[in-house]
Amino acid sequence: MNDALLKADAETIERDIESLAAMVDSSKPGWTRRPFTPWYEQGRQWLRERMVEIGMHVEIDAASNLIGRLPGSDPSLKPIMVGSHTDTVTGGGRFDGIIGVLAGLEIVRTLKRAGIVLRHPLMVVDFTAEEPSEFGISTIGSRGMVGNLPEEMLERTDPSGLVLRDAIRLAGGDPDALPSAALGPGDIALYLELHIEQGPVLEQTGTKLGVVTGIVGIHRYRVTVEGRPNHAGTTPMTMRSDALTGAARMILELEAICREHDAEPVVGTVGKLTVEPNASNVIPGRVVFDLEVRSLSVDIMEELICAFKRRTEEIALNCGIAISMDCLSKSEPIRVDEDVQAIIRSGCAATASSISLPSGAGHDANQIARIAPIGMVFVPSKDGRSHCPEEWTDYADVALGVEALTRTIVLYDNL
Ligand code: HGY
Ligand code: MN
Ligand code: MN
Ligand code: MN
């Protein structure tokens, strides 16, 4: 195989990234394209046109995922799937998830330029709402694809009262068909995802490609702290049940618990909090915050949450406040099969320097791993930054990631 034939075109990748980057909610900071919004639909329409342009058959599945299909020379084989997400966090960047979907387009173009027809069918997927959505759930599309979006989740509402089931239907899905339409073990031959590292390792080690060995699980809870609203001027400090100072103690406790686990990468974060009535002269009566813990071990995550519950019950008692916790979602940690890692390492070896590393971010791959072997390739994040406007990866580095994925697919297709 003439090596140059499998090189991805960095200029085309740049054009695609910047085209999508223009379809964002400019009233928000950074590059914001939240799911189920007009900007998201605009981006998907653009993506659909690109897929048709390169000869793919395009469909929206029951979970509202956008899927491009390219037939293989042997229709008896199960498809190879490449995918990720084009939704962003609020105030996010232009690369997180997006390069994994655009990689699918460039892989198809590269194969055509090289005159290669794969034996396996190829699927390119833009999964709906990978980021935590207004429904309190993340990886909605990939959950739906693998039958992991139960009725209880479909009935969740966003702050406007829209029910997730209806949002999926408005996005072109068919939520009532979800359980039967789900894919199962054996339906996909291999799932591969190109993603920015969103951390500092590749940049610090001067390496161009990351072979992902495992992906953390994420356990997310909504915590409600009930105090007693009262006048900020006339209530003595000794007679207060302040929901916000109590919540602050609890959040610092989460940080302390996670810091005690320096054995392996464990993180805990509270990134979303509301205060009621949120007035400068009223002692807060209620605080609601979302917390998440992440680890490569389910046991450790369960342990963190137990420790948090134990210690915050004590805080509640001492502060005269009440705490309640509801589980929002759980995604389980994934270990990437050694043989998948090996074939990705071969695809990388012919492309650029690579190292193996775990993913501290969650991905659609966490869900697809429930039904198929999965693998991921990382490309470097400038200053290790992501989920912010400073998120940046050189287009040439993205192209190397696409090339590594293309080589991996060609190797796998010829096994
Ligand atoms: O939060 C995450 O790990 C991913 O970026 N959705
Ligand atoms: Mn993200
Ligand atoms: Mn992502
Ligand atoms: Mn007054």
Side-chain angles (χ1 to χ4, degrees), residues 326-350:
D326 297 302
C327 182
L328 285 174
S329 65
K330 286 183 177 179
S331 70
E332 299 323 331
I334 302 297
R335 291 231 177 272
V336 178
D337 295 349
E338 290 299 337
D339 51 359
V340 174
Q341 289 187 46
I343 199 162
I344 290 175
R345 237 172 244 117
S346 310
C348 290

Side-chain angles (χ1 to χ4, degrees), residues 151-393:
E151 281 300 306
E152 173 273 310
M153 286 188 165
L154 285 168
E155 290 311 311
R156 301 258 187 104
T157 58
D158 73 2
S160 77
L162 176 68
V163 179
L164 176 56
R165 176 190 303 280
D166 296 334
I168 289 174
R169 190 175 288 112
L170 288 169
D174 179 5
D176 300 336
L178 264 181
S180 57
L183 299 184
D187 285 341
I188 300 293
L190 175 65
Y191 173 74
L192 293 172
E193 183 167 353
L194 176 69
H195 207 284
I196 52 174
E197 179 201 340
Q198 301 179 294
V201 175
L202 292 180
E203 185 178 62
Q204 284 173 352
T205 56
T207 318
K208 287 298 183 190
L209 300 166
V211 179
V212 174
T213 53
I215 310 172
V216 294
I218 307 175
H219 288 187
R220 280 199 183 103
Y221 287 81
R222 182 150 292 165
V223 180
T224 302
V225 179
E226 301 279 1
R228 196 175 58 243
N230 211 333
H231 196 296
T234 54
T235 312
M237 294 311 281
T238 52
M239 290 177 62
R240 295 181 173 212
S241 296
D242 184 329
L244 186 52
T245 54
R249 286 187 175 85
M250 294 174 178
I251 295 167
L252 289 173
E253 206 54 46
L254 175 70
E255 184 182 58
I257 292 166
C258 292
R259 284 181 192 274
E260 285 159 17
H261 273 75
D262 50 9
E264 65 122 61
V266 160
V267 288
T269 314
V270 172
K272 183 176 181 177
L273 179 144
T274 56
V275 188
E276 293 172 27
N278 204 24
S280 57
N281 65 344
V282 180
I283 299 169
R286 174 184 293 131
V287 168
V288 179
F289 60 84
D290 288 0
L291 80 78
E292 62 156 60
V293 292
R294 302 188 186 207
S295 163
L296 288 167
S297 149
V298 181
D299 293 346
I300 289 184
M301 287 190 284
E302 304 287 7
E303 215 181 287
L304 292 171
I305 295 299
C306 284
F308 179 77
K309 283 181 178 168
R310 206 174 39 252
R311 296 202 211 175
T312 50
E313 264 145 26
E314 223 173 288
I315 292 170
L317 213 61
N318 298 338
C319 299
I321 53 180
I323 176 174
S324 60
M325 289 178 69
D326 297 302
C327 182
L328 285 174
S329 65
K330 286 183 177 179
S331 70
E332 299 323 331
I334 302 297
R335 291 231 177 272
V336 178
D337 295 349
E338 290 299 337
D339 51 359
V340 174
Q341 289 187 46
I343 199 162
I344 290 175
R345 237 172 244 117
S346 310
C348 290
T351 307
S353 57
S354 70
I355 49 165
S356 300
L357 75 169
S359 171
H363 301 284
D364 289 307
N366 286 76
Q367 297 300 327
I368 306 302
R370 299 166 76 96
I371 62 154
I374 63 107
M376 292 192 73
V377 172
F378 278 168
V379 288
S381 290
K382 187 170 178 306
D383 304 328
R385 300 287 301 275
S386 179
H387 282 184
C388 57
E390 293 78 11
E391 182 181 281
W392 176 266
T393 297

